[in-house]
Amino acid sequence: MMDSDLSPQDKKDLDKFIKFFALKTVQVIVQARLGEKVCTRSLSSPTGSDWFNLAIKDIPEVTHEAKKALSGQLPGIGRSMCVEISLKTSEGDSMELETWCLEMNEKCDKDIKVSYTVYNRLSLLLKSLLAITRVTPAYKLSRKQGHDYVILYRIYFGEVQLTGLGEGFQTVRVGVVGTPIGTITLSCAYRTNLAFMSTRQFERTAPIMGIIIDHFVERPFGNMGHMRPCNYRAPGEDEGAYNGVEDSQEVCTTSFSTSPPSQLFLSFLLFSLFLTFTLSLPLLFFLSQLYCSRLSYQPPVLVGAADFCHPSTLNAANPHQVTTQMGIPGKEGGVPQQVPVQPCHGAQAEHGRVSSCPPADHVPATPSSSGEGAETLSRSIEVKGVSPCDVLETTFTRKVGAFVNKPGTQVTTASLDLPFAAFAPRAYDLEENDPMVQPPESPATSSPLQGSLHSQGSGESGGPAQDDFVMVDFKPAFSKDDLLPMDLGTFYREFQNPPQLASLTIDVSSQSMAEDLDSLPEKLAVYEKNIDEFDAFVDTLQ
Amino acid sequence: MNCRSEALEVSVEGRQVDEAMLALLHTILLHRSTGKFHYKKEGTYSIGTVGTQDIDCDFIDFSFVRVSSDELDRAIRKAVGEFKDAMGNGMDGMGQISLEFYQKKKSRWPFSDECIPWEVWSIKVNVVNLANEQERQICREKVGEKLGEKVINIVEVINRHEYLPKMPTQSEVDNVFDTSLKDVQPYLYKITFQITDTLGSSVSTTMRRLIKDTLAL
């Protein structure tokens, strides 16, 4: 170590450069895995706040996670900072995709100028990182993340672990910068074998040894952070700091496609119908109000409740992206069972594979954003005074024809005899909502809660609403899904159950008939007034 | 000082030429552009901020990062467009486009300033014609992978930290950097190309370009 040759000012500058370089490195990597294009503006005049003369915005949560992982230390010899990028599917399978390593070795460059050369070379290295992050295989996967899978990140400090990348992983070196105290190297190790090795049971049974491999189970490092999704953005103060990117994102169009939210809402519909048989209506009413804050199918602890309580923070301009993160039973035809859990800080112990939730100081920033984010779901679910930390854990259980054989009389009796019927919106009048009796309707407007169970519920996959059997997987013949962005099966599932025409619904027609009858005398009066005009018109036709 | 020369080679379909060239040229220019210099008293200067932008290719399964500067993008697109026109449309062929970074050296009258290249990137392009959509789809992915490899090659060369011109004083900044753009400041560069159909025409194209560039100075 040649610290003694460095002036105190140079040492101080170098430490600062390394610290901010590490933070910016994490930002570049995570932002490149957000799933959308990044765009920042060039500024001819320096702002004084853009490190390395590059416009790289700071996502506060990412900075917070990075600082937490560093714990006041700096990357140095034997102390590497790593950013692990993983993929997690809607079925619970996870896979580590790549690990970015910021390391330092002992090779020193004593003669290099810290304040000029090192700084400029670090800037060059960040540019190289920007370029390389778009080239590794995980970039394309992250651009397509959505209802099938999400991309998560984890920052840790210490020894590099590459065992999760599978056999045959490749390494690409982004670059090196020599400094008087060592040579900084930035590299990426990425997986080449993308075949899944684990099949996770839906029920929480113990994994069968030797078959199921879950890399979240063992955490040999004490200061490992929990996995975070790469597709959120914090609200509040971050919105101010992130304005540049947000503005530029208005210019840069996103290429993300909407998910089939109808899948989720039909699942909610089915689950709610199930609950009316087993639970009292007040509890059902309470539970329905909790749905609104859920953003991802993942258990909240994996991402920190504060993150998933911010539907507004999702980067895509397309609000439907919010729903892509929610649990979708999808191909398995399973019915998600929304189970309320304790607020985020209590949920930590549940899984054992993630560490702490975000600190409490994040929580106050959320209510406004959850309210704002709820607007993206407002068509279907209304948010009323929901605590952002009241997230729900989704588990998936296979159900076969769950609501096929329920007796109609029981449904009718249940809806009439309920002691708290006044609290129950019309959505829970099961006979009307029974898809076996009446096909799903287009969104109703009389009550938001009712809307939540009707809207967009008509087109979805799985089709248990109208079939006697559950479609486990749908593979249409002669359809290749590797060439087209949306395969035939997905298209079929999405548009399998179109909403019924409004003009054909009984309520609408009965309402309009009453209105029509009332307005008849007026119309007749108008026609009598204009009778001369009509006669003239008839004459022209002859 | 010897000029550093790097060669890259890609095989693309006709409609992919534009995007492939833009991807590689912009990747190089990203590393060879700084923010605008603002000189202060006592020889110090501050540097503006370089923004970046993700670009998705339409005909190639590839995305790249470029400097957020419409002026620079227009200049590069113009050069690539001329290269593609020279290559011809829908024909097999080979061509080479060169991105050369140079410094100007003031000469006494009546001689014009000398351009001394310090780094030259030559991108050789093979244009192929494909028979059906299946082949085009495969080509789309393969060219994307190849471009990724080229980006890694470019980054590898850049990060060797070999010769770069010294940071100039205010009076000499125009000898090192292109200060004509509003928002960013790339090193002085020029783009030339030659089409390899016959030896004679390639030489004449190159000579024409060289003369034109010299007169432009």
Side-chain angles (χ1 to χ4, degrees):
Chain A
M1 191 74 72
M2 297 296 171
D3 288 358
S4 56
D5 294 344
L6 270 184
S7 66
Q9 183 60 39
D10 278 349
K11 179 72 173 74
K12 189 178 163 190
D13 288 343
L14 187 59
D15 287 345
K16 208 177 356 172
F17 294 169
I18 293 174
K19 175 190 167 187
F20 282 97
F21 179 76
L23 295 176
K24 288 294 183 182
T25 294
V26 174
Q27 290 286 350
V28 168
I29 294 167
V30 173
Q31 289 176 29
R33 299 291 176 261
L34 287 170
E36 41 189 60
K37 297 199 283 190
V38 177
C39 187
T40 56
R41 288 200 189 112
S42 299
L43 298 169
S44 61
S45 300
T47 60
S49 61
D50 290 320
W51 273 92
F52 308 106
N53 309 117
L54 282 174
I56 299 170
K57 294 297 177 181
D58 291 320
I59 302 176
E61 275 75 9
V62 176
T63 303
H64 173 76
E65 288 298 314
K67 285 181 177 172
K68 206 163 71 170
L70 289 171
S71 303
Q73 300 176 75
L74 289 176
I77 298 167
R79 302 191 310 269
S80 305
M81 189 189 74
C82 298
V83 182
E84 182 185 288
I85 301 292
S86 301
L87 175 149
K88 179 153 182 165
T89 68
S90 57
E91 295 158 4
D93 290 325
S94 61
M95 182 166 66
E96 197 176 310
L97 295 177
E98 54 188 19
T99 300
W100 299 82
C101 306
L102 178 60
E103 304 171 278
M104 186 180 278
N105 64 35
E106 294 170 349
K107 189 178 171 188
C108 302
D109 187 343
K110 285 183 280 180
D111 300 324
I112 199 167
K113 285 185 186 171
V114 170
S115 61
Y116 170 73
T117 309
V118 172
Y119 188 85
N120 286 337
R121 288 185 180 178
L122 289 174
S123 175
L124 208 59
L125 189 51
L126 274 177
K127 290 174 182 173
S128 300
L129 183 64
L130 282 163
I132 298 288
T133 45
R134 273 67 176 170
V135 157
T136 54
Y139 180 72
K140 285 180 197 162
L141 287 171
S142 67
R143 290 291 298 270
K144 295 175 187 170
Q145 64 181 304
H147 56 277
D148 286 332
Y149 62 86
V150 288
I151 303 294
L152 309 177
Y153 76 94
R154 182 175 72 93
I155 307 170
Y156 64 89
F157 192 71
E159 216 174 294
V160 178
Q161 275 292 317
L162 301 178
T163 51
L165 295 174
E167 288 182 3
F169 65 86
Q170 298 278 336
T171 304
V172 58
R173 192 168 78 168
V174 182
V176 298
V177 173
T179 76
I181 61 171
T183 297
I184 295 169
T185 63
L186 185 55
S187 60
C188 172
Y190 60 91
R191 169 185 285 270
T192 53
N193 176 15
L194 293 177
F196 268 111
M197 297 172 70
S198 67
T199 55
R200 198 168 178 82
Q201 302 282 336
F202 284 143
E203 292 82 14
R204 292 182 177 273
T205 55
I208 301 170
M209 294 301 294
I211 296 178
I212 293 181
I213 298 166
D214 183 355
H215 78 280
F216 283 116
V217 171
E218 291 184 35
R219 290 297 189 199
F221 307 115
N223 60 349
M224 277 187 292
H226 50 281
M227 300 303 295
R228 293 272 188 179
C230 289
N231 54 4
Y232 69 97
R233 191 173 55 203
E237 58 184 11
D238 177 50
E239 283 172 351
Y242 221 62
N243 271 341
V245 176
E246 204 164 351
D247 291 340
S248 59
Q249 281 182 341
E250 291 170 0
V251 174
C252 301
T253 57
T254 60
S255 58
F256 204 85
S257 59
T258 57
S259 71
S262 54
Q263 286 180 356
L264 174 65
F265 294 121
L266 182 64
S267 306
F268 285 159
L269 167 69
L270 295 172
F271 172 67
S272 302
L273 292 172
F274 174 73
L275 278 181
T276 55
F277 289 108
T278 55
L279 299 175
S280 63
L281 280 175
L283 176 60
L284 185 62
F285 184 75
F286 172 71
L287 285 175
S288 68
Q289 290 198 344
L290 295 179
Y291 287 163
C292 58
S293 62
R294 195 70 179 95
L295 285 185
S296 169
Y297 63 81
Q298 301 170 38
V301 291
L302 273 179
V303 298
D307 304 318
F308 276 113
C309 292
H310 308 160
S312 64
T313 67
L314 290 184
N315 282 316
N318 189 343
H320 289 293
Q321 187 174 11
V322 171
T323 59
T324 66
Q325 303 307 320
M326 307 188 73
I328 309 256
K331 299 172 188 175
E332 298 292 337
V335 176
Q337 294 184 337
Q338 300 290 339
V339 178
V341 296
Q342 295 298 319
C344 61
H345 29 274
Q348 178 181 352
E350 279 224 24
H351 295 274
R353 52 181 179 166
V354 289
S355 57
S356 63
C357 285
D361 58 355
H362 276 211
V363 176
T366 61
S368 59
S369 60
S370 69
E372 178 188 357
E375 288 173 3
T376 66
L377 301 172
S378 62
R379 273 191 175 189
S380 313
I381 294 174
E382 182 185 3
V383 181
K384 280 182 181 173
V386 175
S387 162
C389 278
D390 288 335
V391 292
L392 300 176
E393 178 185 84
T394 303
T395 61
F396 289 91
T397 308
R398 292 173 189 251
K399 291 278 181 189
V400 178
F403 303 110
V404 170
N405 295 322
K406 57 182 181 291
T409 53
Q410 182 183 345
V411 170
T412 309
T413 305
S415 63
L416 290 177
D417 291 343
L418 294 166
F420 298 100
F423 292 98
R426 274 201 298 157
Y428 301 113
D429 185 347
L430 296 174
E431 187 175 13
E432 287 182 16
N433 294 339
D434 185 358
M436 297 303 290
V437 174
Q438 185 176 353
E441 302 173 356
S442 49
T445 56
S446 59
S447 133
L449 280 172
Q450 179 185 8
S452 75
L453 297 175
H454 279 103
S455 67
Q456 300 168 347
S458 50
E460 44 76 54
S461 73
Q466 290 183 351
D467 297 333
D468 288 337
F469 52 87
V470 171
M471 193 188 299
V472 175
D473 195 6
F474 181 63
K475 290 182 182 173
F478 312 109
S479 166
K480 274 189 189 175
D481 59 1
D482 52 352
L483 296 182
L484 301 170
M486 180 195 273
D487 63 347
L488 182 60
T490 311
F491 176 85
Y492 178 81
R493 283 193 292 273
E494 275 196 44
F495 298 102
Q496 190 181 22
N497 293 317
Q500 196 177 31
L501 291 174
S503 58
L504 295 180
T505 57
I506 298 170
D507 289 341
V508 172
S509 61
S510 62
Q511 266 185 332
S512 62
M513 193 184 291
E515 286 174 3
D516 285 343
L517 288 171
D518 289 339
S519 64
L520 267 179
E522 293 171 16
K523 285 183 186 169
L524 285 171
V526 169
Y527 297 149
E528 281 176 7
K529 262 192 200 172
N530 299 328
I531 200 165
D532 293 334
E533 256 181 72
F534 291 123
D535 287 341
F537 174 71
V538 169
D539 290 339
T540 60
L541 294 174
Q542 289 171 355
Chain B
M1 181 260 305
N2 290 327
C3 171
R4 185 166 62 241
S5 182
E6 305 294 337
L8 305 166
E9 187 167 345
V10 288
S11 293
V12 298
E13 200 197 353
R15 62 183 185 171
Q16 296 172 324
V17 170
D18 279 324
E19 289 177 339
M21 295 304 101
L22 284 171
L24 297 179
L25 293 173
H26 270 303
T27 299
I28 298 166
L29 278 163
L30 170 69
H31 292 85
R32 293 289 182 242
S33 299
T34 72
K36 295 285 288 182
F37 281 16
H38 297 273
Y39 287 91
K40 303 171 195 173
K41 295 175 188 175
E42 299 170 358
T44 60
Y45 61 93
S46 59
I47 307 177
T49 301
V50 173
T52 57
Q53 195 169 346
D54 279 326
I55 304 293
D56 290 337
C57 297
D58 293 325
F59 298 109
I60 310 173
D61 203 8
F62 188 68
S63 299
F64 63 94
V65 179
R66 70 164 173 89
V67 171
S68 282
S69 168
D70 290 339
E71 282 180 273
L72 184 62
D73 186 44
R74 272 197 296 273
I76 304 302
R77 282 181 184 273
K78 186 173 172 230
V80 169
E82 289 173 11
F83 171 68
K84 193 187 170 186
D85 292 340
M87 290 281 284
N89 295 320
M91 303 289 290
D92 290 353
M94 282 176 61
Q96 180 170 291
I97 191 165
S98 298
L99 173 60
E100 178 186 303
F101 294 100
Y102 64 95
Q103 276 179 271
K104 272 195 237 174
K105 189 177 172 188
K106 297 283 185 195
S107 297
R108 290 182 188 175
W109 185 87
F111 302 104
S112 58
D113 293 339
E114 200 179 342
C115 293
I116 305 172
W118 53 270
E119 187 174 81
V120 177
W121 296 84
S122 301
I123 306 171
K124 202 184 272 186
V125 182
N126 300 317
V127 179
V128 297
N129 265 329
L130 300 174
N132 57 51
E133 197 56 39
Q134 183 79 3
E135 285 183 20
R136 285 197 191 98
Q137 185 60 34
I138 294 169
C139 181
R140 191 189 160 90
E141 293 169 10
K142 288 257 184 270
V143 170
E145 289 171 12
K146 278 292 170 191
L147 287 178
E149 290 172 17
K150 300 305 161 194
V151 166
I152 293 173
N153 292 345
I154 291 169
V155 161
E156 192 182 352
V157 169
I158 299 268
N159 278 273
R160 285 182 203 154
H161 300 301
E162 292 171 341
Y163 173 80
L164 278 179
K166 283 185 199 170
M167 285 298 145
T169 57
Q170 188 170 10
S171 59
E172 294 190 345
V173 67
D174 291 320
N175 294 339
V176 176
F177 289 100
D178 179 356
T179 54
S180 63
L181 305 178
K182 281 187 305 195
D183 41 15
V184 295
Q185 193 173 283
Y187 282 99
L188 280 172
Y189 72 94
K190 65 174 114 166
I191 297 177
T192 58
F193 59 84
Q194 58 187 40
I195 311 300
T196 316
D197 44 6
T198 63
L199 183 61
S201 61
S202 68
V203 169
S204 68
T205 310
T206 309
M207 287 308 298
R208 205 180 307 132
R209 284 269 150 209
L210 283 171
I211 292 165
K212 192 174 165 188
D213 290 332
T214 307
L215 289 172
L217 296 168

